[in-house]
Every structure is written in structure tokens, then in C-alpha cells.
Amino acid sequence: MTPLLPLAELISKPPPLPTDVVERAKRHLLDTLGAALAGAVAPAPGLSGPGNAPIWGTGLAVAPRDAALLNGVAAHALELDDTGGCDHSGAVVVPAALACLSLADRPVSGSELLEAVVLGYDVARRALEACGGYAAHNEAGWHSTGTCGTFGAAAASARLLGLDSTRTAHALGLAAGFSGGLWAFVHDGAVSKRLHAGRAAEGGLTAALLAASGTSGPGRIFDDVWGGFLRTYAGADADPGALTRDLGTVWRISRCSIKPYASCRSTHSSIDAIGGLDLRFGEIARIHVRLSPLVADMCGGRDVATLSRAQLSLPYGIAARILYGDADLAAYAPERRGDPRAAALMDLIDLEVDPELGGIDEPALTVTTTSGAVRRARVRDPLGSPANPLSDERLLAKFHGLAPGRERLAEQVMTLDAHPDARALLPLL
């Protein structure tokens, strides 16, 4: 049987979700909304049409597909959105799901919305695993948020639109045609990275709407055929069994991380490691970082002239933690990026690429102090990961720091499974 059919069946008729999975969905929904409200932007001329779907944080409303695009861009704009899914599942799935609420002509319970979000995370991550996983897919040059996230947005949208399994299969097949995203931005700090999340959200919603209207999608999109998604995007790395392995029993949202820092997830372990050594500026003679080729390619840069470049710089993340005690959004402000002390600290950092390390293995730090002491640190489960999660207090502090004055929104999201109509969220956005 083609893997497409079990996926479509799960989306159209999901089993009851475990309580802990529902709780995770609320946390990731809140976190995504906070990141998006902080990154909110009004549309550029010609990019949107009139409608009733809010562009979060702007007071503007546009057509639902345009809202999915713009809110997806906003959610990923400041590198504060969650990771570990497709990779950035929240910035893709949540904008598509909430755009569907604007289309609903009936009450949509909070539990229904959370269910759709969980399904979206699940399908998006499974698509990435079927491509061989994060390292293989991204090392090939694909930005997995754009290539695999489209399926997650389609899944969440199909569920909220009430599509049956046949139409849901068409939606997933159509979503493959909207898949795309390349890592070329890493070479010059282009902002196209954040656009990939928005386009994936828009593409998945569009696919579901087309399927709802009767448009057919390719039924063998996940089969080993010419033009199939896995043969085209993954080749020899493809693992089609990942699409259905543990389907409906192991929910992929449970492996996702919530970011405490405003930078690429691959910098977080080093930020935690240097923070745990409690060193001050002036005490450090040298910092040696042993890291994988993939992390070096993504995050080895030292150009911090723009926000997007700085957020992909592991050396700057280390320097920021030493100088400012954190690597939050404030640490990436222009005046802090331009601090001569940050440049001086980055000059003390040596990066050693170790080909024996796997693609997303965490770096190891060795620090030599000015007194000659040598200290080592390696954090395998950085703050915010499933094994080292943010507390509710820190999660809420992050949200309120990004979206001040939104106490009612936070309360609604954190009790969403008890609300009869999730559309009540839209005026609060």
C-alpha cells in the first residue's frame, strides 16, 4: 500500500490524543504566536487581497491564504520559533491552521484546533524523516521547513476543513507540488529563510482548499517512482517507512524544542555550555569548539552585520552569552552586535570541524583562561529540548516579553482544550 493512504486515514480519523500531547500542543501554539507577534509585519504592496483573516499584531485582515503566508513569515522572522519538527513546524502549521478558522462557518472547538496542530506537526516531521532525517536532507541543500513543512500545513488544514481520507490524500499530493526551499541564504544572510515558512504554510492551505474543491493530487507522491517526492528530494537517503512507523501512537510534536535563544537551534548547546562555565570577559584566552561539518557550514560564520547573519553565528552566540548573560532577542540588537568586545571575543574562538561528528551532534567546547586553566563543557540536551524543557514560568515569560499586554490571549491558549470555539482567538490576534 502506498504510504499516502495511511497518512490520509490518520488525518481524517485520528485516535484520541494523550493528555501530555495536548499539553505540548498548547505550549507550542502559544510559543509560535509569541514569536509571530514579535515578528509581525504588514504586507508589501501587491502581496495580499482583502479578507477576514487577521495578520497577527497589525490590526489588518486579508484573505486566508495571504494570512497564512504573512503570519508564517512573521513566526520565523526572529529565529524564536520552535524547532525539531520539519524543522520549524510551528511557523508552518499554526498559521495555516488559524487561517482555516477564518474560513469556518461553524464553531471549531479548541480541542479540534489542537488536534489539527498535532497532526500537522506529525506529518511534517514524518516527511522529513522519510527524506533521511534533518542532517541528510539539509546537507543536500534543502531547507526542510519549506520542503517538508508544506505537508504539515496541508494536514492541519485538511483536518479543520473536514476533508475525508480521499480528499486528504489529494491535499497531501498537491502539497508536494508547492514544496521548496534552499539553504543558499546562508552564504550572504539573505532573508529568504523566513519566507520558506510562510510559503509552506500558504502552500499547504492552498493544497487543502484545492482538494476540498475537487482538484486531484498525485496518488503515488510518496512511492518510489519518477517524479515522486522522496526519489526527487531524498534519493538514496529516502526512508519511506518513516511515514507510517508508529503512526498514531508516537506523536512527533513530543520531540520538538522550544527556543530560549533568538538564534539557530544548532548554536544553543554551545550557548548553554559556555554559560555553565560562568566566565567573564577578560578571563578567556582561547575558546576551542569542535563541531560537525553541517553545524560548521550552517553556523560557523562571524559576520554579524545583519540580524539574520548574527543569528546563524555560533561564535557570536557564545560571545553574547559571555557579555550579556543571555542570547535572547535583546542580545542581537544592532548596538550589541556592534560591541567591540563581541568582536574581540569572536577572535578568540577557534572552530575545529570534526568529520567523525554526526550532522546535528552537539559541539564540544574547551576554554583556556588567562590564568592557564583549561575547562571543558558539552551540553547534549540544551535548554528547551524535550529532555530539558522550559518551565511554564519561563515559557510564559518568553511569551509576555515578545507580546506584552496579551495576557488574555495566553490564558485562552493555555486552556484552549476547554473552549467550545477556537475562533475566539482571532480577535485577540
Side-chain angles (χ1 to χ4, degrees), residues 56-124:
W56 307 335
T58 68
L60 303 173
V62 294
R65 287 172 51 207
D66 298 329
L69 167 66
L70 294 164
N71 291 329
V73 171
H76 193 40
L78 299 178
E79 284 290 344
L80 285 160
D81 50 316
D82 63 18
T83 185
C86 64
D87 185 40
H88 299 279
S89 293
V92 175
V93 172
V94 172
L98 266 64
C100 278
L101 293 184
S102 303
L103 293 163
D105 58 2
R106 63 169 181 86
V108 177
S109 72
S111 293
E112 287 180 89
L113 175 60
L114 293 170
E115 178 184 70
V117 168
V118 170
L119 289 166
Y121 272 71
D122 207 61
V123 172

Side-chain angles (χ1 to χ4, degrees), residues 23 26-35 37 80 258-260 383 389-416:
E23 291 302 311
K26 290 190 287 187
R27 288 169 60 88
H28 283 271
L29 175 58
L30 181 72
D31 188 64
T32 302
L33 293 177
L37 287 165
L80 285 160
I258 291 178
K259 288 183 173 184
L383 183 62
L390 293 186
S391 65
D392 284 348
E393 292 76 16
R394 182 147 183 178
L395 173 67
L396 288 168
K398 176 186 174 182
F399 175 82
H400 290 307
L402 296 173
R406 304 274 180 167
E407 289 80 8
R408 188 178 170 201
L409 176 61
E411 180 184 354
Q412 290 263 15
V413 171
M414 295 306 284
T415 58
L416 189 58

Side-chain angles (χ1 to χ4, degrees), residues 190-264:
V191 298
S192 58
K193 183 175 189 282
R194 64 192 62 171
L195 299 178
H196 297 163
R199 288 290 286 169
E202 176 199 27
L205 174 59
T206 300
L209 291 171
L210 287 170
S213 72
T215 304
S216 63
R220 301 188 65 189
I221 197 63
F222 292 126
D223 293 356
D224 184 18
V225 295
W226 180 73
F229 178 77
L230 296 180
R231 184 187 287 189
T232 303
Y233 281 83
D237 293 317
D239 177 15
L243 289 166
T244 55
R245 196 174 295 135
D246 302 318
L247 191 65
T249 59
V250 178
W251 297 98
R252 298 308 195 252
I253 196 171
S254 297
R255 72 171 315 282
C256 293
S257 302
I258 291 178
K259 288 183 173 184
Y261 309 126
S263 60
C264 177

